Amino acid sequence: MPPNRKPYKGKEERLVVSVDIGTTFTAASWCILVPGQIPKFESIVRWPDQFEGSAKVPSVVYYDESRKPRAFGARNIAEPTTEAEHRWLKLEWWKLVLRPAHLLPEFVFPELPQGITVDKIFADFLSYIKECLQKYMQDAVAGDKWGKLSLSLTLILTTPRCWLSEQQERMRVAAINSGLVESPQQVRFVSEAEAAVLYAADTGRIREWLKASGLFGLLCLSGTIDISSYQVISAVPLQLEELTPAHCYVAGSVLINESARKYIEERLLINQLGADDADDPSEINSQFEAKKCHFKDPNKVMMLQVAGHITTNLDITRGRLEIPGTKIAEFFDISLDAIIKGMKSVISESRAQVNKVILVGGLASNIYVFSRIQKWAKDAGVIVIKPDGGNMKVVAEGALAWHLDSSVASRIAKYHYGTKTAIRFDSTNPDMEGRKVYFNPTGDCVVNGGWAGIGMKIRSKKEFGGWHHRECTDDEEVDKFEFPIYAFTGTSPPLFIKKKGQRQLNPHFIHICTIKCNLQECYDQAKYRKSPTGRKYKIIEVSPMIHFPTSYFS
Ligand SMILES: Nc1ncnc2c1ncn2[C@@H]1O[C@H](COP(=O)(O)OP(=O)(O)OP(=O)(O)O)[C@@H](O)[C@H]1O
Ligand SMILES: [Mg+2]
């Protein structure tokens, strides 16, 4: 625990639970807040059907034909025993289905079966987590704390940094449907990245970097890749400020597995092994998953048992498929390319101020991945460390630290936000060419649909906005004024929101909402002005304000 965590000041015992639902694995932690005592974090370290000491459970749900969840996590039904079990559907990687639409995976993502939505899977899985927590706590903690405190628990859920409020809302509803909480107010969100930083701070391993005005980058390498950067505002108490907008890529370990799966299928086909000859494909993929974790040397061949004792003239000898190490390195390299691209962006956006990087997440524990990142870092003059030591509870326990300490004071809005405005026509700008030009009430020649940004760096909980003035005439319906609000998810927004002559938004723009307001009273009180052509108009100053709850920034 860090020295600055104070004894709990509340008057009654409270339970705080954090659940880190991962693309491949999930962890759950809790903390019983006892008046006058320094909070202590605990985690489930023994999940059903797993060995003692496994702090994460596979994010897997099995559904029967009537779409009822039948089994979860590590329950091994690769060899079903009953007729019904044969027909159960195994669903994994479903977390990625919830991702914001603009976050495209680097592979074709399998569709969910009919009748099963991602919202249902989240709710079913969380209800399994609830069951596990209840059993674990009842078995491990004296005094029926679950029975006494669970009804009013605070639940912290973690998400990738680039998820939007829509994803958080859907997870909040899922948490209520799961029975883990009763009301929306019981659920808070923090990004996996931020939780990981706070966990690293708690270990004391990054103490040297947590000096006032120090800067560091954070690479979360798991199912997805999250890259952020922070500046230390104060070391004690720890206060961090986000330095650059986060980068998120659906190109982590699932992409490596997917590339391997495709390659193995192709090789089986080329070796002319039919379904009867080859072993169960999911079993072959599991072998790859296990061996992948030890991959370190592209000069070494990987062997997978694929079929009885068959030998082909190609790459199968006595039933074992040989995958060249250089091929495995290729699967990893697609992820590594995204990681290095993201790091380069963060370094350039921070004007090369970030030269220390923390690595966390399952993929970061791979020797090949770490050595490749180290090699790149050395050339780029960057120091990288892995302070978590392969600990699986990093994000779940970091989420508890976040709830108790709220260390990140200021965050960068994930995207650019803005509204639409008319911009002065400029005949020398090619982007204006072919767009409809008109005269506004002041007599200026303008083009509609221009981008007007509303700020980037925002302190959490505060509103932000910017003043816009509109020239209006008597024939305008000022009682039905509208401000469409857009997010731009790219690096720097173009001049116009929409494509020339089209209704379609330019790439990376998302319509978030439309603010509707009655400005009749403002209009009535404003003074008339006269344009050079004698047209009467008024100017209304409006400031569309956007309020983001803390959860949005996390
Ligand atoms: N040594 C290793 N080499 C390669 N991959 C590894 C290694 N150890 C773990 N992984 C991969 O990392 C993933 C698990 O990491 P982690 O638990 O951080 O991901 P997650 O929480 O499921 O994903 P996310 O948080 O992105 O949704 C698995 O896909 C696993 O295959
Ligand atoms: Mg994770």
Side-chain angles (χ1 to χ4, degrees), residues 9 36 67 72 82 91 126 140 144 166 209 221 239 241 253 270 291 298 301 308 315 387 403 441 505 509 548:
K9 286 203 187 104
R67 303 319 191 213
F72 298 88
T82 67
L91 297 188
L126 278 170
D144 188 21
E166 183 202 326
W209 292 3
L221 309 182
Q239 280 213 314
E241 188 166 286
S253 53
I270 290 171
K291 296 203 170 177
V301 169
D315 37 16
H403 175 67
L505 296 175
F509 278 106
F548 288 110

Side-chain angles (χ1 to χ4, degrees), residues 20-23 25 56 95 158 192 222-224 361 395:
D20 166 34
I21 299 185
T23 311
F25 288 96
K56 279 195 160 187
K95 170 180 167 179
T158 62
E192 291 151 9
S222 305
T224 44
V395 174

Side-chain angles (χ1 to χ4, degrees), residues 96 99-105 160 162-163 248-250 415:
L96 295 181
R99 74 191 184 279
H102 69 274
L103 270 188
L104 298 174
C162 297
W163 283 25
C248 206
Y249 305 93
V250 185
Y415 304 120

Side-chain angles (χ1 to χ4, degrees), residues 456-505:
M456 277 278 289
K457 194 165 191 170
I458 308 146
R459 273 186 191 277
S460 51
K461 278 191 186 157
K462 283 204 173 167
E463 291 161 344
F464 72 107
W467 285 99
H468 292 260
H469 72 259
R470 287 276 178 102
E471 300 89 2
C472 310
T473 51
D474 283 350
D475 46 359
E476 272 177 67
E477 291 184 317
V478 287
D479 57 333
K480 291 186 190 115
F481 227 76
E482 291 194 355
F483 279 99
I485 301 292
Y486 299 93
F488 177 74
T489 61
T491 314
S492 57
L495 202 54
F496 289 97
I497 294 169
K498 289 188 181 169
K499 293 190 170 170
K500 224 172 262 184
Q502 290 181 26
R503 284 171 166 262
Q504 216 182 333
L505 296 175

Side-chain angles (χ1 to χ4, degrees), residues 260-478:
R261 185 193 61 77
K262 272 202 238 143
Y263 174 83
I264 295 165
E265 261 175 25
E266 213 177 82
R267 292 318 299 173
L268 292 180
L269 211 66
I270 290 171
N271 280 281
Q272 296 184 328
L273 280 189
D276 296 339
D277 307 314
D279 285 344
D280 176 7
S282 70
E283 207 282 317
I284 302 172
N285 294 336
S286 309
Q287 285 180 55
F288 175 79
E289 166 65 27
K291 296 203 170 177
K292 165 194 86 169
C293 292
H294 304 291
F295 177 71
K296 58 179 176 193
D297 185 355
N299 296 314
K300 293 212 168 121
V301 169
M302 182 189 280
M303 299 280 208
L304 298 181
Q305 193 68 44
V306 291
H309 294 286
I310 288 173
T311 296
T312 66
N313 289 332
L314 299 166
D315 37 16
I316 294 180
T317 315
R318 274 191 258 141
R320 294 194 306 166
L321 172 71
E322 283 181 21
I323 310 182
T326 45
K327 196 65 192 161
I328 313 276
E330 270 175 36
F331 305 150
F332 276 86
D333 286 350
I334 317 172
S335 285
L336 280 160
D337 288 348
I339 294 166
I340 290 169
K341 179 174 145 207
M343 267 321 297
K344 283 183 177 163
S345 304
V346 165
I347 289 173
S348 109
E349 284 157 14
S350 75
R351 293 194 213 93
Q353 293 183 84
V354 170
N355 59 6
K356 303 181 193 78
V357 174
I358 297 169
L359 297 190
V360 292
L363 192 51
S365 57
N366 182 274
I367 295 176
Y368 176 70
V369 170
F370 190 57
S371 67
R372 280 284 316 273
I373 294 178
Q374 265 185 323
K375 184 176 176 319
W376 165 80
K378 196 168 168 226
D379 295 344
V382 170
I383 305 167
V384 287
I385 58 163
K386 293 187 289 183
D388 65 8
N391 192 332
M392 304 288 259
K393 301 172 294 184
V394 171
V395 174
E397 292 201 359
L400 294 175
W402 168 82
H403 175 67
L404 297 181
D405 306 339
S406 279
S407 305
V408 179
S410 174
R411 300 163 175 92
I412 306 270
K414 284 166 199 160
Y415 304 120
H416 299 260
Y417 290 90
T419 183
K420 160 173 108 161
T421 190
I423 44 183
R424 203 180 279 253
F425 179 67
D426 171 4
S427 59
T428 62
N429 185 334
D431 209 8
M432 300 258 178
E433 222 173 82
R435 290 190 187 262
K436 208 169 154 191
V437 176
Y438 69 100
F439 288 97
N440 71 6
T442 62
D444 290 328
C445 188
V446 293
V447 179
N448 236 335
W451 168 253
I454 325 185
M456 277 278 289
K457 194 165 191 170
I458 308 146
R459 273 186 191 277
S460 51
K461 278 191 186 157
K462 283 204 173 167
E463 291 161 344
F464 72 107
W467 285 99
H468 292 260
H469 72 259
R470 287 276 178 102
E471 300 89 2
C472 310
T473 51
D474 283 350
D475 46 359
E476 272 177 67
E477 291 184 317
V478 287

